[in-house]
Amino acid sequence: MSSAVSLEVGGDGVLVATMNLPGRPMNVVGDTLMEGIAQACAKLADPAVKGMILTSGKADFCAGGDLDRMSQWSKPEEPFEGSMAMKKVLRQLELQGKPVVAAINGHALGGGLEIALACHARIAIDDARLKLGQPEVKLGLLPGGGGTVRLPRLVGIQAALQICGEGNDIAPAKAREMGLVADLAKDRDELMAKARAWIAANPKAKQPWDQPKFRFPGGDSRTPAVAQMWAIAPSVASQKTWGNYPAVRHIMSSIFEGGLLDFEAASVVESRYFAACVMSQESKNMINTLWFQLNAIKKGASRPAGVPASKVGRLGILGAGMMGGGIAYVSAKAGIDVVLLDTTQEAADKGKAYSQGLLDKAVKKGRSTAEKRDALLAKIQATTRYEDLAGCDLVIEAVFEDRAVKADVTKKAESVLAADKVFASNTSTLPITGLAKASARPQNFIGLHFFSPVDKMPLVEIIVGQATSEQTLARAFDYVAQIGKTPIVVNDSRGFYTSRVFATYVMEGIAMLKEGVHPRSIEVAGLQAGMPMPPLALQDEVSLSLSMHVQEQTKKDLAAEGRTLPEHPGTGVIRQLVEVGRIGKKAGKGFYDYGDDGKALWPELTRLYPTAAQQPAQREMIDRLMFAQANEAARCYEEGVLRSVADANIGSIFGWGFAPFHGGALQFINAMGARAFVERSRGLAAKFGPRFEPAAVVVKMAESGGRFSDAA
Ligand code: NAD
């Protein structure tokens, strides 16, 4: 008996094969699990066995491929052969001539769903939290265990394209609707009973694609309606991805070609595309950052060890504006009692009304109930009285970005707060060490930088001031995890990490405008680079007046320290637009005009900054936008603002949408190699200015052959 899949034949002759990979919290597809399934298959051949139920002994059915193993593959033959070996076992399973049912007791994702697809029927527990799907594309991969071959033959080419190309989770009820699962069960007992009944009713089960008269539901790739879809799908995909995600292209090719071929040939084609995905730099980048580094962060790599875990029961929020209102919502949602304070009751109530608005919408859409909404709202107390902060474990201030106002509320809150509790500032620009001067307990003072809109953005940047204690950091970290967000930890500095690096992207785009690059080309370059928003539109969102204000404040602060900074070439452009009242989207005018029909580039821009006769190559513009960010991130690393490579990469993707296929701002440098980065940076510096001079840390790596790594 295999240790990965336990086998038990019941009195009714049904073999129950239970996947339970030893030593791992989840079942993952790899040699061990597939050997277990092969042994189950051999047992199924026993004449006394009538059929088989494949289920799991863990909370999930099977979570997907073993990424540890995949990341060790270095030659394309390895993924190709690995994928073909898995398919051989699954083919044996479905060609035994005996019914096999997947009893899906928990998540069946990626390779897990592919195993279930090789069973003759799938029955799942009807729990809305249970996820089915092929999320491989999100890590730059393609389902290599027959997903792009069986799904089109089961639910049709278009639905398969959506499942594999978008990688979204499918809830059991929806899966039933689309024919992905045959039936639903309310609990494990009913699941097993229904699986047994299916076996009894279908003693000679055969897959649809192994029937002589098989036809693709909705038609194969030649069918006119499908062929028409194929004429459009690649354009739609490239509009979304700008061609930056080869996996999307490979998935389309595999499904298209598979839709012209027989099952066996389609399977080989899929394995070839799978190998191409595994070997791509894009999948290496995404697996490195969005899997390994993200998991390291979630496991607390940046949290001081040795401080006991903590939970916030009661939270105080000062300032019930856009940020305070959002922080109140996400915290109450995590079960925390919230005291939301502002200068007037009306302002405090308005902050609470933000939650009401979000919840009303959720109730209307059927995603929540009136009872749940009321229970959550009851957790938020809107007030003007500091006494109400008594008993809070943590207070977060989100008042105006003004040192004096922040100092005032810090003192008032601390007078009520117990001596061992934490006080956090949600400032976006003011150094934490300076703000902590207003505190009687600077060791308990920390930065918790949320992103707007708080309910949607996954990241919180934790900023450690000079006096912040390890205990305070650990507590802040635990709170961020408690509300389901991803924390990165950085040391104090002007603009911290995210605002500082993000600004280089926007400013580089604006500098191009000044040089005479057509504004539309700048915007297209931003999107082609893989950024979620182009630079000029993004500056409008942030507001030009806010950026102006921050830059002036920085200049003043530096002057007080006897320092000056060379002005970025984009600064003059912002000043000029602010002077004519074009302060951004909130005023209805910035680089764009905003009207009822949407936005359009301000026609006067090309008069103010005449378009040069010679326009630069798009590649050069993309490089400028990306090198500016990566180089600034490297400087943050060199200066010790960043404490880890994982925080740098995850912070860049989750914080400001740094093109995910590059795997983050420092992985961008690793992927191309320090030497190539230094060379290209020097070329850009010669042409566009010293801001492109490569960070010393990368120059050193180029000489020594090193790379950014958290490995000790
Ligand atoms: P906002 O103007 O929407 O809200 C500020 C709130 O603070 C207002 O309701 C105001 O009445 C209240 N307030 C002012 N003085 C107060 C006092 N003495 N006591 C109690 N309440 C007071 O501003 P916001 O956008 O929510 O920003 C708040 C903070 O968060 C700022 O420090 C800002 O830099 C930071 N921040 C903002 C963003 C963003 O995108 N807006 C992102 C990250 C951080």
Side-chain angles (χ1 to χ4, degrees):
M1 188 184 286
S2 149
S3 55
V5 180
S6 63
L7 306 175
E8 204 182 325
V9 183
D12 55 359
V14 171
L15 165 67
V16 176
T18 308
M19 299 183 282
N20 205 343
L21 206 58
R24 311 248 336 206
M26 290 183 272
N27 287 320
V28 288
V29 180
D31 293 343
T32 315
L33 189 71
M34 292 318 293
E35 270 159 31
I37 294 177
Q39 282 163 10
C41 220
K43 183 80 183 166
L44 182 61
D46 183 335
V49 174
K50 296 201 171 69
M52 172 172 141
I53 300 174
L54 181 64
T55 190
S56 152
K58 302 202 192 278
D60 58 273
F61 179 77
C62 176
D66 183 348
L67 291 165
D68 287 328
R69 166 182 177 245
M70 270 190 220
S71 56
Q72 282 159 13
W73 283 331
S74 59
K75 293 192 288 267
E77 299 89 291
E78 292 166 316
F80 178 79
E81 277 155 20
S83 148
M84 289 306 287
M86 174 179 180
K87 287 172 184 190
K88 193 170 157 206
V89 174
L90 295 182
R91 203 67 187 125
Q92 278 166 2
L93 193 67
E94 63 186 356
L95 288 176
Q96 281 273 348
K98 292 184 189 177
V100 181
V101 179
I104 303 176
N105 56 298
H107 302 327
L109 292 167
L113 182 59
E114 292 177 296
I115 291 174
L117 286 168
C119 300
H120 300 102
R122 286 150 296 285
I123 302 175
I125 292 187
D126 190 10
D127 177 346
R129 286 166 303 180
L130 191 155
K131 298 178 196 164
L132 303 161
Q134 302 286 177
E136 289 88 342
V137 69
K138 294 187 173 166
L139 293 176
L141 297 171
L142 159 156
T148 73
V149 180
R150 289 190 178 88
L151 275 171
R153 286 164 171 79
L154 185 70
V155 296
I157 284 183
Q158 194 154 2
L161 202 52
Q162 212 163 20
I163 295 171
C164 302
E166 293 175 7
N168 295 330
D169 302 332
I170 307 166
K174 173 85 184 151
R176 169 89 200 270
E177 222 173 86
M178 60 200 297
L180 191 57
V181 304
D183 203 355
L184 301 175
K186 65 177 190 304
D187 54 27
R188 198 157 183 135
D189 287 345
E190 191 179 76
L191 181 70
M192 297 306 278
K194 283 191 165 181
R196 283 179 199 280
W198 199 94
I199 289 171
N202 298 276
K204 294 210 176 329
K206 230 182 192 189
Q207 296 284 28
W209 42 90
D210 291 320
Q211 315 270 1
K213 291 197 174 154
F214 169 70
R215 294 231 183 293
F216 277 73
D220 63 18
S221 288
R222 290 180 200 86
T223 312
V226 177
Q228 210 168 12
M229 188 272 298
W230 279 125
I232 301 163
S235 315
V236 174
S238 98
Q239 190 188 20
K240 281 192 199 152
T241 63
W242 294 86
N244 288 323
Y245 294 83
V248 174
R249 217 166 44 238
H250 293 329
I251 286 168
M252 280 190 291
S253 300
S254 183
I255 295 180
F256 170 74
E257 291 171 37
L260 301 170
L261 298 168
D262 67 32
F263 188 93
E264 306 301 341
S267 296
V268 177
V269 166
E270 180 191 78
S271 292
R272 291 204 180 117
Y273 282 119
F274 174 67
C277 284
V278 172
M279 288 297 113
S280 72
Q281 186 59 49
E282 289 81 356
S283 83
K284 289 188 167 73
N285 291 342
M286 287 195 270
I287 292 172
N288 164 71
T289 302
L290 297 171
W291 182 257
F292 290 112
Q293 294 186 340
L294 182 58
N295 283 343
I297 288 176
K298 283 185 181 160
K299 283 191 193 138
S302 317
R303 183 191 184 280
V307 181
S310 66
K311 259 192 153 179
V312 171
R314 189 172 163 88
L315 169 75
I317 300 172
L318 312 180
M322 190 164 95
M323 299 305 287
I327 299 167
Y329 172 75
V330 296
S331 302
K333 204 165 160 217
I336 299 173
D337 290 318
V338 176
V339 181
L340 184 58
L341 181 146
D342 210 300
T343 45
T344 64
Q345 189 61 40
E346 194 191 349
D349 289 341
K350 195 170 155 217
K352 181 171 172 176
Y354 179 75
S355 291
Q356 173 105 38
L358 289 178
L359 291 162
D360 284 348
K361 222 186 268 170
V363 173
K364 211 166 147 196
K365 286 194 174 157
R367 280 191 275 110
S368 187
T369 61
E371 295 76 58
K372 278 189 191 156
R373 173 195 60 201
D374 296 345
L376 196 150
L377 286 173
K379 287 197 157 294
I380 305 176
Q381 179 195 353
T383 185
T384 58
R385 290 190 313 260
Y386 277 83
E387 305 89 85
D388 292 337
L389 296 175
C392 282
D393 302 300
L394 168 69
V395 169
I396 303 173
E397 72 77 11
V399 298
F400 297 141
E401 189 76 343
D402 179 301
R403 281 202 182 90
V405 179
K406 287 192 188 295
D408 180 49
V409 300
T410 304
K411 290 198 173 89
K412 283 182 178 149
E414 280 187 350
S415 69
V416 188
L417 212 55
D420 61 337
K421 304 302 180 189
V422 174
F423 186 95
S425 171
N426 178 46
T427 175
S428 40
T429 54
L430 303 169
I432 291 300
T433 307
L435 291 180
K437 294 211 167 99
S439 168
R441 305 185 280 264
Q443 71 279 10
N444 296 359
F445 197 103
I446 197 160
L448 279 178
H449 180 204
F450 285 80
F451 295 76
S452 174
V454 177
D455 51 297
K456 295 222 175 72
M457 296 297 284
L459 191 78
V460 177
E461 184 177 27
I462 301 180
I463 302 124
V464 180
Q466 262 166 26
T468 307
S469 70
E470 295 276 278
Q471 179 159 348
T472 300
L473 170 57
R475 288 194 184 173
F477 192 98
D478 293 345
Y479 161 71
V480 175
Q482 192 181 346
I483 58 169
K485 305 255 180 222
T486 302
I488 61 161
V489 180
V490 306
N491 288 329
D492 199 13
S493 135
R494 197 165 296 284
F496 317 126
Y497 165 58
T498 55
S499 308
R500 177 170 157 186
V501 180
F502 159 82
T504 62
Y505 165 63
V506 175
M507 293 304 282
E508 200 55 37
I510 299 174
M512 291 179 196
L513 182 68
K514 192 174 172 198
E515 292 162 20
V517 180
H518 192 282
R520 191 167 307 287
S521 303
I522 300 171
E523 298 295 77
V524 171
L527 295 171
Q528 281 178 324
M531 300 298 291
M533 249 201 165
L536 304 180
L538 202 46
Q539 180 63 68
D540 273 0
E541 294 278 334
V542 171
S543 127
L544 284 80
S545 49
L546 180 70
S547 297
M548 201 67 247
H549 174 75
V550 171
Q551 284 174 21
E552 270 157 16
Q553 182 68 44
T554 306
K555 222 196 273 174
K556 243 191 264 168
D557 289 353
L558 289 177
E561 295 166 20
R563 292 163 58 200
T564 48
L565 264 190
E567 190 173 272
H568 193 286
T571 305
V573 176
I574 295 188
R575 193 179 301 120
Q576 204 167 358
L577 263 79
V578 170
E579 274 166 14
V580 294
R582 301 198 68 92
I583 60 168
K585 189 178 172 186
K586 65 180 179 194
K589 51 188 186 174
F591 289 105
Y592 287 79
D593 280 324
Y594 296 83
D596 294 340
D597 304 337
K599 64 177 193 282
L601 278 162
W602 182 36
E604 287 293 299
L605 269 187
T606 44
R607 196 186 54 77
L608 271 176
Y609 307 103
T611 308
Q614 185 73 30
Q615 290 289 298
Q618 210 70 7
R619 182 72 253 166
E620 182 182 84
M621 292 162 67
I622 294 170
D623 280 357
R624 285 176 68 176
L625 293 172
M626 301 315 279
F627 276 69
Q629 297 177 72
N631 204 21
E632 193 68 14
R635 287 197 190 109
C636 287
Y637 190 83
E638 176 181 306
E639 292 167 21
V641 174
L642 281 165
R643 298 169 145 220
S644 84
V645 177
D647 284 345
N649 286 332
I650 288 295
S652 68
I653 297 177
F654 285 14
W656 73 93
F658 186 90
F661 68 93
H662 284 306
L666 292 184
Q667 177 62 20
F668 178 88
I669 300 175
N670 276 353
M672 87 172 50
R675 200 169 296 167
F677 182 85
V678 165
E679 202 173 302
R680 180 72 176 128
S681 293
R682 287 185 174 148
L684 292 171
K687 210 165 164 187
F688 302 107
R691 63 186 181 281
F692 283 106
E693 276 305 335
V697 62
V698 191
V699 175
K700 218 179 278 168
M701 283 175 189
E703 285 159 6
S704 66
R707 65 203 312 272
F708 289 104
S709 162
D710 287 330

